[in-house]
Structure formats: structure tokens, C-alpha cells
Amino acid sequence: MIKNILVLGSIAGQTKQRVRAFQELGYQVDTVSDTALNHAPGINYQPTLLDRARNKLGFPADKFQINKQLLNKISKEHFDLLWVEKCLCLKPSTLKALKKLQPNLVLIWYSGDDMFARHNQSAYFRKSLPRYDLVVTTKSYNCNTNELPTLGAKRVCFVDKGFDKIMHAPVVVSEDDKEKLGAKVGFIGTYEAARARSVLYLAKHGIPVRIWGNGWKEFARTHPHPKLHVENKPIYDDNYQKAICATEINLCFLRKLNRDLQTDRTMEIPACGAFMLAERTEEHQRLFVEDKEAVFFDSNNDAELLAKVQYYLARGNERLVIARAGYKRCYRDDYTHEHRLRDVLKKLEAYD
């Protein structure tokens, strides 16, 4: 029976949400962070040229001595489960040594990224994959026999994205919040060419769009437009929550580089009680009833996107009804991290 869990991941980032969920489920949780505890990409962290080179070669630096920290902890304390969140510098030799120290230790890998894509991998990850008792992915296609299993994964299970009940909840926003963080139409996320094309299309047709996220600086420089408000920085935690709640239409673009069929914002926007306009996929349509709990558009159809934006900007009451229904769906079908983690552990028991 699993009681004590050691979580390895970016505790300053999304990992803290699942740590809190494990604790809510009644588990004793300890953590090891593979980033600084105030880690905020785009604000206080940028990878160096050496970092980029090492990552591209597949041998990222162990800047926080993760391998040593784990060996030290496991040698002194008992854990039933090591939950690893996309720590690409964790070495297979370390996993082997951990199992020698505690033979019954369960090893689970979790990532919200497409781990079959080479840019998300490392040599350490590929060599370690067969050592995990379970590999958890939020990318359904990673379970296909021609994907992660070909890299040596013994058991791969898919779970939908989830949301944090504290960080992703409706919040009252002040007029000051609306001015600093809100928008008629907003998008929070990293630059990608398809996303840039769509927001520029909206701007050229008179729609004001506010953008938060990394990687937009060059686009803003080469495509200035009075209707585009590119912040050139990401947004996190409380301000992220407020920005969603202060925005009339929250765009939910999917990451083509990761072959997304759903994303974190898929759950987080409706969980905040906000209106979501997202790319149409089978997974989105399974999670939310189209035009009732969320509104969708085809990825390559900017004209449809524009038409939906124009329609719902003019119909605040309809937006509110849909936003409320999306919020209710999040809780009715339990899209929380607690439910996702409970589901993973049930699947683990079934394998046993």
C-alpha cells in the first residue's frame, strides 16, 4: 500500500499542484525540486547557451544535484513511491541504485508534454524509461504501440489534464485588475507561428487581443498592430488566475509542436468560471459540450475564429451561461488533479 510519496519536479511550477493534490488525498509527501524554488521562466530564468547545447545533445546539466539528493533521501527515509515529473537529468544509474536501496519502491514518470517528441527527451530519459513501473502521459497517442512502448516503456497510461481547486477558481477582479491584466480577448501561452497568425488575423479585423507568454518579442517587433497588446512576458499563479477571470474571451490554442489535443488551459479556464474559445478536437468535445460548456473553432479556420469572437463579444449573457456550465462540468465530472492522481494509482493497482 502506498502511503509515503517522494515527488521530484519543478516545485515552483505545476508540480506543486500535484503535490497539494497528493496531500489532499491523504498521502505523506516529501519533495525534491529540479529548479530553484522561485523558478519562473521568462521572468527570472533564461537558459544559457551552454544549457541549450547540452539539452540539444541530450545531456542536460544536473544543476541542483538531483541524483545525489535522491540517493541521500532514499538511503535515510522510507518511501513507497517516487513520482518523477519530467526530470530530464535523472540518470538510469540513479534509478537502479534507488531500487537497490528500496526494492519495493514504485517508480512513476509523469509528464504533460509529448514525450515521444525528440525535443522533449534526453538521453537519460530514453535510457531510464524501461525502469519505470508506470509512465503517465496526458497525450493519448503516446500510449500507441508505435510510440513510448517502442522506447522501452513497460506500461503507459493516459490521463486527461486537470486543475487545481485553489489556483484555478473564480475570483472577483477589481477595476484595477481588469486594467492591468484583463482583455476583451486574451491568450496566455508561448509563441507559436499558428497562434501568431490567428491573433494577427483577429487584430487586422478590428479585434483587440492581449497576449501573455514567452517567445513573442520578435513577433511583436515584426508585426506591430494597434489592436495587438503583446506583453512580452509570462504570467503565473494569482495574476494568471486574475487575468483569466478579467478576460471576456479566453482563447485556448493548442501547441502544434506537442501535437496537443488538450492543454492545461483546457481545464483551467472553465475551472476559473471563465469563457473559453478553444481549438476543436475530439478530446475537447469529449470534455466539454460544444456551444454549451465551451465554444470551439477549427485550427486552420481563422474566419470561423473571427466569427465566434465577434458573436460572443456582443453577447455577454450567453458567454456567462456557457462559462457557468463549463465550470459545473469541471466539478460534475471531477477534472481536479486529485481525481487524476487517484485514477493513476487505481490503474497502478490494476497492473499489480
Side-chain angles (χ1 to χ4, degrees), residues 75-219:
S75 67
K76 295 178 180 179
E77 303 173 56
H78 171 78
F79 294 97
D80 303 300
L81 166 64
L82 174 62
W83 177 276
V84 180
E85 297 217 345
K86 200 189 175 185
C87 181
L88 297 179
C89 64
L90 179 56
K91 298 176 181 179
S93 59
T94 301
L95 293 178
K96 183 179 180 180
L98 295 179
K99 289 290 281 187
K100 188 174 182 179
L101 287 167
Q102 294 191 29
N104 294 324
L105 179 68
V106 176
L107 304 176
I108 294 182
W109 171 277
Y110 174 93
S111 177
D113 287 327
D114 177 5
M115 292 311 301
F116 192 65
R118 195 78 172 186
H119 67 270
N120 282 322
Q121 301 175 2
S122 71
Y124 301 131
F125 164 75
R126 290 190 293 274
K127 290 179 181 178
S128 297
L129 205 54
R131 295 191 176 275
Y132 288 97
D133 297 291
L134 185 62
V135 175
V136 183
T137 177
T138 61
K139 309 302 181 189
S140 53
Y141 43 79
N142 278 174
C143 297
N144 295 343
T145 55
N146 63 340
E147 294 219 356
L148 291 185
T150 67
L151 300 180
K154 293 179 292 188
R155 298 165 177 164
V156 185
C157 87
F158 164 71
V159 292
D160 289 309
K161 294 283 191 176
F163 72 92
D164 184 287
K165 292 184 292 185
I166 297 173
M167 297 181 68
H168 310 124
V171 62
V172 176
V173 290
S174 65
E175 289 303 316
D176 187 51
D177 291 330
K178 291 178 182 178
E179 182 179 345
K180 289 180 178 178
L181 303 167
K184 289 286 186 181
V185 179
F187 173 68
I188 304 173
T190 301
Y191 169 86
E192 202 169 48
R195 299 169 170 183
R197 181 206 71 214
S198 294
V199 295
L200 185 59
Y201 183 88
L202 291 177
K204 288 180 176 179
H205 287 81
I207 304 296
V209 185
R210 191 171 195 174
I211 302 165
W212 301 88
N214 289 313
W216 289 91
K217 185 175 182 179
E218 182 62 16
F219 169 76

Side-chain angles (χ1 to χ4, degrees), residues 7 38 57 75 102 147 178 211 262 309 343 351:
V7 175
N38 65 344
L57 290 170
S75 67
Q102 294 191 29
E147 294 219 356
K178 291 178 182 178
I211 302 165
Q262 57 179 281
V309 167
D343 187 43
Y351 286 127

Side-chain angles (χ1 to χ4, degrees), residues 158-159 338-348:
F158 164 71
V159 292
E338 286 88 343
H339 179 74
R340 301 305 187 216
L341 297 181
R342 192 185 297 116
D343 187 43
V344 168
L345 296 181
K346 282 183 180 178
K347 288 177 180 178
L348 180 66

